[in-house]
Amino acid sequence: FDCGGHIKGTIKRDLGCVELSVTHTEHIQVDSERQTLRESVPQEVIDYITEESNTLHAADVYHNVVTRFPAHDITRMQVYYWWGVSFQDQYRLHDDQVVSLR
């Protein structure tokens, strides 16, 4: 979500119910953190992370990024951020959160 939060659901078939947990983060804090994570990441690195996110976990992508782009000072959090953006884009059905959940 835009606020940096998420909804996690667990289907409990044996009990006939769904357990949901909702996490919400302050907008100001998230906006500040997102700006920091976006800064200083060249487009070629973002493109590489996007490509690798199709098949690899964020930790593996980070290892590949620091090996392939040693001249850039890319942090784990920057890789994780861009990996997450790419991963969300693959599974988001609609920009409206409620419509996307259906």
Side-chain angles (χ1 to χ4, degrees), residues 1-19:
F1 297 120
D2 293 338
C3 68
H6 63 275
I7 296 175
K8 179 181 176 184
T10 305
I11 299 172
K12 297 188 175 190
R13 292 179 192 255
D14 56 330
L15 299 175
C17 67
V18 176
E19 180 182 329

Side-chain angles (χ1 to χ4, degrees), residues 1 8-9 17 23-24 27 35 39 43 47 52 61 63 65-66 71 75 77 87 96:
F1 297 120
K8 179 181 176 184
C17 67
T23 304
H24 179 76
H27 292 280
Q35 183 61 33
E39 292 174 353
Q43 188 61 47
D47 293 342
E52 294 289 292
V61 174
H63 175 73
V65 165
V66 297
T75 67
M77 289 304 295
F87 196 78
D96 183 321

